[in-house]
Coordinates of all heavy atoms in Angstrom, one line a residue:
Chain A
M1 N 88.9 95.8 93.6 CA 89.9 94.9 92.9 C 90.3 95.4 91.5 O 91.2 94.9 91.0 CB 89.2 93.5 92.7 CG 89.3 92.6 94.0 SD 89.0 90.9 93.6 CE 87.2 90.9 93.8
P17 N 114.7 73.4 91.8 CA 115.2 73.0 93.0 C 115.5 71.5 93.0 O 114.7 70.7 92.5 CB 114.1 73.4 94.0 CG 112.9 73.4 93.2 CD 113.3 73.9 91.8
A18 N 116.6 71.1 93.7 CA 116.8 69.7 93.8 C 115.8 69.2 94.9 O 115.7 69.7 96.0 CB 118.2 69.5 94.3
V20 N 113.8 67.4 97.7 CA 114.3 66.7 99.0 C 113.9 65.3 98.9 O 112.7 64.9 98.7 CB 113.5 67.4 100.1 CG1 113.9 66.7 101.5 CG2 113.9 68.9 100.2
E29 N 103.4 62.2 105.7 CA 104.5 63.0 105.1 C 104.4 63.1 103.6 O 104.7 64.1 103.0 CB 105.8 62.4 105.5 CG 106.2 62.8 106.9 CD 106.6 64.3 107.1 OE1 107.7 64.7 106.7 OE2 105.7 65.0 107.6
Y34 N 100.6 68.2 99.3 CA 99.3 68.4 98.7 C 98.4 69.2 99.7 O 97.7 70.1 99.3 CB 98.6 67.1 98.3 CG 99.3 66.3 97.3 CD1 100.1 65.2 97.6 CD2 99.3 66.8 95.9 CE1 100.8 64.5 96.7 CE2 100.0 66.1 95.0 CZ 100.7 64.9 95.4 OH 101.5 64.3 94.4
V114 N 114.5 108.9 85.5 CA 115.1 109.9 86.4 C 115.4 109.3 87.8 O 116.5 109.6 88.4 CB 114.1 111.1 86.6 CG1 114.5 112.0 87.7 CG2 114.0 111.9 85.3
R121 N 119.7 112.2 95.4 CA 119.5 112.4 96.9 C 118.0 112.2 97.2 O 117.2 112.5 96.3 CB 120.0 113.7 97.4 CG 121.5 113.5 97.7 CD 122.0 114.8 98.4 NE 122.4 115.8 97.4 CZ 122.7 117.0 97.7 NH1 122.7 117.4 99.0 NH2 123.1 117.9 96.8
S137 N 92.6 104.8 99.1 CA 91.5 104.1 98.5 C 90.9 104.7 97.3 O 90.9 106.0 97.1 CB 90.5 103.8 99.5 OG 89.7 105.0 99.7
Q147 N 85.8 116.8 94.2 CA 85.7 118.1 94.8 C 86.7 119.1 94.1 O 86.3 120.2 93.8 CB 86.1 117.9 96.3 CG 85.4 119.0 97.2 CD 86.3 120.3 97.2 OE1 87.5 120.2 96.9 NE2 85.6 121.4 97.4
W158 N 88.8 127.2 89.7 CA 89.3 128.5 90.2 C 90.6 128.9 89.5 O 90.7 130.0 89.0 CB 89.4 128.4 91.7 CG 90.0 129.6 92.3 CD1 89.4 130.9 92.4 CD2 91.4 129.8 92.8 NE1 90.3 131.8 93.0 CE2 91.5 131.2 93.2 CE3 92.5 129.0 92.9 CZ2 92.7 131.7 93.7 CZ3 93.7 129.5 93.4 CH2 93.7 130.8 93.8
W187 N 96.5 109.1 88.4 CA 97.1 109.5 89.8 C 97.3 108.2 90.6 O 98.4 108.1 91.2 CB 96.1 110.4 90.5 CG 96.6 110.9 91.8 CD1 97.6 111.9 91.9 CD2 96.3 110.5 93.1 NE1 97.8 112.1 93.3 CE2 97.0 111.3 94.0 CE3 95.4 109.6 93.6 CZ2 96.9 111.1 95.4 CZ3 95.3 109.4 95.0 CH2 96.0 110.2 95.9
Q202 N 116.9 98.9 87.0 CA 118.0 98.7 87.9 C 118.9 97.5 87.5 O 120.0 97.3 87.9 CB 117.6 98.5 89.3 CG 117.2 99.9 89.9 CD 116.8 99.8 91.4 OE1 116.6 98.7 91.9 NE2 116.6 100.9 92.0
E210 N 127.2 104.6 80.9 CA 128.5 105.3 80.9 C 129.1 105.2 79.5 O 129.6 106.2 79.0 CB 129.4 104.7 82.0 CG 129.1 105.0 83.4 CD 129.8 104.1 84.4 OE1 130.9 103.6 84.0 OE2 129.3 104.0 85.5
L255 N 81.1 106.9 92.0 CA 81.1 107.9 93.0 C 81.1 109.4 92.6 O 80.8 110.3 93.3 CB 82.4 107.7 93.9 CG 82.3 106.5 94.8 CD1 83.6 106.3 95.5 CD2 81.2 106.7 95.8
Chain B
M1 N 120.5 99.2 94.7 CA 121.2 100.3 93.9 C 122.7 100.1 93.9 O 123.3 99.9 94.9 CB 120.8 101.6 94.4 CG 119.4 102.1 94.2 SD 119.1 102.6 92.5 CE 119.9 104.1 92.4
P6 N 129.7 105.7 89.5 CA 129.3 107.0 89.1 C 129.0 107.1 87.6 O 129.5 106.4 86.8 CB 130.5 107.9 89.5 CG 131.6 106.9 89.3 CD 131.2 105.5 89.6
T18 N 116.0 117.6 87.3 CA 115.6 116.3 87.8 C 114.9 116.4 89.2 O 113.8 115.8 89.4 CB 116.9 115.4 88.0 OG1 117.5 115.3 86.8 CG2 116.5 114.0 88.5
Y19 N 115.4 117.2 90.0 CA 114.8 117.4 91.3 C 113.5 118.2 91.2 O 112.5 117.9 91.9 CB 115.7 118.2 92.3 CG 116.8 117.3 92.8 CD1 118.1 117.5 92.4 CD2 116.6 116.2 93.6 CE1 119.2 116.7 92.9 CE2 117.6 115.4 94.1 CZ 118.9 115.6 93.7 OH 119.9 114.8 94.2
V28 N 102.2 116.4 93.5 CA 101.0 115.8 92.9 C 100.4 114.6 93.7 O 99.2 114.5 93.8 CB 101.2 115.4 91.4 CG1 100.1 114.6 90.8 CG2 101.4 116.7 90.5
W35 N 94.7 118.0 100.9 CA 93.5 118.7 100.6 C 92.3 118.0 101.3 O 91.4 118.7 101.8 CB 93.3 118.8 99.1 CG 92.1 119.6 98.7 CD1 91.0 119.0 98.0 CD2 91.8 120.9 98.9 NE1 90.0 120.0 97.9 CE2 90.5 121.2 98.4 CE3 92.5 122.0 99.6 CZ2 89.9 122.4 98.5 CZ3 91.9 123.2 99.6 CH2 90.7 123.4 99.1
A103 N 108.6 75.0 96.0 CA 110.0 75.2 95.8 C 110.9 74.1 96.3 O 112.0 73.8 95.8 CB 110.4 76.6 96.5
K104 N 110.5 73.5 97.4 CA 111.5 72.6 98.1 C 111.0 71.2 98.4 O 111.8 70.4 98.9 CB 111.8 73.2 99.5 CG 112.5 74.6 99.5 CD 113.9 74.4 98.9 CE 114.5 75.7 98.5 NZ 115.8 75.5 97.7
P108 N 104.6 64.0 93.1 CA 104.1 63.8 91.8 C 103.1 64.9 91.4 O 102.2 65.3 92.2 CB 103.3 62.4 91.9 CG 103.9 61.8 93.0 CD 104.3 62.8 94.0
D172 N 118.9 74.0 99.4 CA 118.4 72.7 99.5 C 119.1 71.9 100.6 O 118.5 71.1 101.3 CB 118.5 71.9 98.2 CG 117.6 72.5 97.2 OD1 116.5 72.9 97.6 OD2 118.0 72.5 96.0
T185 N 108.1 67.5 107.6 CA 108.0 68.6 106.6 C 107.5 69.8 107.2 O 108.0 70.9 106.9 CB 107.0 68.1 105.5 OG1 107.4 66.8 105.1 CG2 107.0 69.0 104.3
N214 N 91.2 98.7 100.7 CA 90.7 99.7 99.7 C 89.7 99.1 98.8 O 89.2 99.8 97.9 CB 91.9 100.2 99.0 CG 92.7 101.2 99.8 OD1 92.2 101.8 100.7 ND2 94.0 101.3 99.5
D215 N 89.4 97.7 98.9 CA 88.5 97.1 97.9 C 87.1 97.7 98.0 O 86.7 98.1 99.1 CB 88.4 95.6 98.3 CG 87.8 94.8 97.1 OD1 87.7 95.4 96.0 OD2 87.5 93.6 97.3
Q232 N 85.2 101.8 103.2 CA 85.0 102.3 101.9 C 83.5 102.4 101.6 O 83.1 103.3 101.0 CB 85.6 101.3 100.8 CG 87.1 101.0 101.1 CD 87.9 102.2 101.3 OE1 87.7 103.3 100.7 NE2 88.9 102.2 102.2
Q239 N 78.4 109.8 101.3 CA 78.2 110.6 100.1 C 76.7 110.7 99.8 O 76.2 111.7 99.2 CB 78.9 110.0 98.9 CG 79.1 110.9 97.8 CD 79.5 110.2 96.5 OE1 79.1 109.1 96.3 NE2 80.2 110.9 95.6

Side-chain angles (χ1 to χ4, degrees):
Chain A
M1 274 195 274
V20 177
E29 280 292 283
Y34 298 104
V114 167
R121 274 189 277 174
S137 77
Q147 207 279 334
W158 174 71
W187 183 76
Q202 285 184 347
E210 286 166 23
L255 286 174
Chain B
M1 286 286 286
T18 301
Y19 286 111
V28 164
W35 182 244
K104 295 293 164 190
D172 289 327
T185 310
N214 289 333
D215 196 12
Q232 309 308 323
Q239 199 199 26

